[in-house]
Amino acid sequence: MASLRRLLPLRSLLLGKNLSASGTCEGLGGGFRSYSASLSPEERILKLEEDDQLAEDDIAKIRAQFDAAKQSFFKIPEAVKEMPKMHPKGIYVNKNLKLEDIQVYGFDYDYTLAHYSSNLQTLIYELAKEHLVNELRYPDSCLEFKYDPTFPIRGLNYDKLKGCLLKLDFFGSIEPDGCYFGHRKLTRKEIEQIYGTRHIGRDQARGLVSLMDFFCFSEACLLADIVQHFVDAKLEFDASHVYEDVNCAIQHVHRSGLAHNGILSDPQRYLVKNVRGDESAATLSQDAEAKGEETFLVDKLSISFCGWRDAVYARDLTGITEDSLGHRDSWRELFDVVIAQANKPEFYTSEHLFRYFLQL
C-alpha cells in the first residue's frame, strides 16, 4: 500500500492529471492526502514517506499499548489474590449510606437470627400436602408424594398458564436445561413449540410467579408433583388453579403456626446453630443501645414461637449466650420492638393499626 501511494503522484504527472489547489488528485476518485501544489514530485514522495513512517510509529505505539493491556489482563487473577479481604464482620451496602444518620435498625428472623436445616423443607412439604388432601379434597394418592431435595433450586418461576417450572437467565430467556413440566425436562424443540421462542416476552411474563427464597423449595417440588400426578393420570387440569391451591396450602402452613410448632417439637432437627449469632444480633443491639438507637424484629413467626424461652435454643442454636444477653432475661429483649405475625409483605403496605399488644 505504501509503494502504491508513492507511485500515485508520479503516475498522475505521467498521465497529465492536474492537482487541485488543495493538492487532491483528480480523476482517481479523490480521498488521497493533500499537499500544496507548489511541491515538486520528489518533495511529495518524501512527504509521503515521512507520513508513512509516522503512521507506522503510531501503529507500533498502539500495538505496544495493546500488548501491555493484554499482559495486565493475564495478571488479574494474581492481583485479585493480593487484594485485601473484605472484613467478615463488616456491613456492606450497594449505595452510599451514612450509618450515623440511621436511628432504627430492623432484623428479620428466618435465615437471619435463625438458620434451618434441609429437614424444614420436608416438614413444610408434608404439612402442605396434608392440607391439600384434607382441606382442598385432592386425591388421597397425593399423600404418597415425597419431598425430593435434589429437584428444586433457587430462582425458579412457575407458569400459571402452561404449568411449567422455568429457570430464566439474566436476559429473560429460558435456560436450555431449565424448563420442566412436572418432573420431565422439556427439550429445546418442545420449549419452542410451547413458547414460540426461548425468550419470555412481557405478555408471557405476566403469567409467571417467582419462587425465589429458601421457603419456596418445598412449594416448587409440590407444584411439580401435582402436575406430574395429573399427567400420569391423564387428567385435564388448570395450571393456575394448581398454583393457587399449592400456594394456599404453603401459606396456611406458615400463617397457622404449623411450621413453627413443628420446629418447636424438635428444634435440634430443624434448627442449625448460628455460630455468628452472638457476633451479629447481640453485638449490633448492644452498639445501637449504647448510641441511643433502636432495634426491632419483624417476622411472620407466631406469638407462641416468640414466647419460647428454651435456653438450649438461645445458647446452642442462635449462638446468643448469657454473656451476650447481659442484663436481659430473653433474646427478645435484644430488640426494642418485636412484631410477630407480620404477614409480610402485605405488612409494609397495609393501613391497619396493630390490634393488640401482648407482654410475654
Side-chain angles (χ1 to χ4, degrees):
M1 179 60 73
S3 60
L4 175 61
R5 286 185 293 183
R6 294 190 188 100
L7 292 174
L8 283 174
L10 293 176
R11 185 172 183 273
S12 65
L13 290 174
L14 293 173
L15 294 176
K17 300 296 182 181
N18 295 323
L19 292 174
S20 65
S22 63
T24 303
C25 184
E26 298 175 352
L28 294 175
F32 296 102
R33 300 175 188 178
S34 59
Y35 304 105
S36 172
S38 62
L39 293 177
S40 65
E42 292 78 7
E43 291 174 331
R44 293 180 192 139
I45 292 175
L46 292 174
K47 186 65 175 175
L48 281 170
E49 290 177 345
E50 292 176 1
D51 290 348
D52 288 342
Q53 185 60 45
L54 290 174
E56 291 174 0
D57 292 342
D58 290 339
I59 292 173
K61 290 179 181 179
I62 294 173
R63 186 176 297 279
Q65 293 173 354
F66 171 78
D67 290 338
K70 185 177 179 180
Q71 293 301 320
S72 298
F73 177 79
F74 289 145
K75 294 178 181 178
I76 286 178
E78 295 299 325
V80 170
K81 293 179 182 179
E82 297 175 359
M83 291 178 62
K85 304 296 183 182
M86 297 178 67
H87 197 291
K89 300 179 183 178
I91 298 177
Y92 300 90
V93 295
N94 58 0
K95 60 182 294 185
N96 293 331
L97 177 67
K98 292 183 178 180
L99 290 179
E100 62 185 15
D101 296 334
I102 305 300
Q103 300 300 316
V104 180
Y105 293 87
F107 290 81
D108 190 21
Y109 187 84
D110 294 324
Y111 292 103
T112 301
L113 297 182
H115 294 256
Y116 300 100
S117 70
S118 59
N119 294 322
L120 178 63
Q121 301 296 337
T122 302
L123 173 66
I124 296 173
Y125 180 92
E126 292 294 328
L127 294 172
K129 177 183 67 177
E130 293 173 1
H131 183 80
L132 285 174
V133 174
N134 298 332
E135 302 297 331
L136 301 182
R137 298 295 185 265
Y138 271 66
D140 291 342
S141 56
C142 293
L143 293 174
E144 300 175 4
F145 296 162
K146 299 296 181 183
Y147 175 69
D148 180 5
T150 65
F151 178 75
I153 60 174
R154 290 191 70 179
L156 292 176
N157 292 272
Y158 178 75
D159 189 340
K160 294 191 296 182
L161 300 179
K162 299 180 173 62
C164 296
L165 279 171
L166 311 174
K167 177 65 175 176
L168 304 181
D169 62 19
F170 180 79
F171 301 100
S173 296
I174 303 172
E175 294 188 358
D177 295 327
C179 184
Y180 281 77
F181 187 67
H183 282 277
R184 187 175 69 86
K185 183 173 69 174
L186 301 184
T187 65
R188 180 171 297 191
K189 183 177 181 180
E190 289 175 319
I191 294 174
E192 293 176 352
Q193 288 176 344
I194 295 174
Y195 292 98
T197 176
R198 284 178 50 217
H199 182 72
I200 298 297
R202 183 176 300 177
D203 293 337
Q204 291 175 317
R206 293 191 181 99
L208 302 183
V209 289
S210 298
L211 306 173
M212 292 297 180
D213 61 34
F214 288 110
F215 287 116
C216 289
F217 285 4
S218 50
E219 184 174 3
C221 190
L222 191 53
L223 282 168
D225 287 340
I226 295 296
V227 170
Q228 190 64 51
H229 173 78
F230 285 126
V231 171
D232 293 341
K234 296 181 173 56
L235 297 174
E236 293 185 1
F237 65 95
D238 188 308
S240 178
H241 286 168
V242 169
Y243 170 75
E244 291 174 2
D245 290 343
V246 171
N247 183 257
C248 175
I250 294 290
Q251 293 302 321
H252 172 75
V253 168
H254 288 294
R255 294 177 179 176
S256 66
L258 287 174
H260 286 131
N261 290 337
I263 296 170
L264 291 176
S265 67
D266 192 354
Q268 300 292 346
R269 176 179 175 80
Y270 298 111
L271 284 162
V272 177
K273 182 176 180 179
N274 178 14
V275 295
R276 294 186 57 197
D278 183 35
E279 301 172 352
S280 55
T283 302
L284 286 174
S285 176
Q286 291 169 353
D287 291 345
E289 184 180 27
K291 297 177 182 178
E293 298 163 341
E294 297 181 332
T295 59
F296 69 93
L297 171 68
V298 56
D299 203 275
K300 61 179 177 295
L301 49 83
S302 64
I303 294 294
S304 61
F305 203 70
C306 281
W308 190 27
R309 296 174 178 268
D310 193 330
V312 173
Y313 165 77
R315 182 183 67 253
D316 296 336
L317 297 178
T318 65
I320 299 176
T321 63
E322 293 181 1
D323 292 338
S324 64
L325 287 176
H327 61 277
R328 306 173 182 87
D329 296 326
S330 168
W331 63 268
R332 295 190 315 279
E333 295 183 20
L334 289 171
F335 311 98
D336 294 284
V337 177
V338 175
I339 303 174
Q341 296 178 338
N343 194 27
K344 295 185 296 183
E346 290 84 357
F347 165 83
Y348 298 106
T349 57
S350 173
E351 297 180 358
H352 294 164
L353 299 176
F354 294 114
R355 295 183 182 275
Y356 59 85
F357 172 80
L358 179 62
Q359 180 65 49
L360 296 172

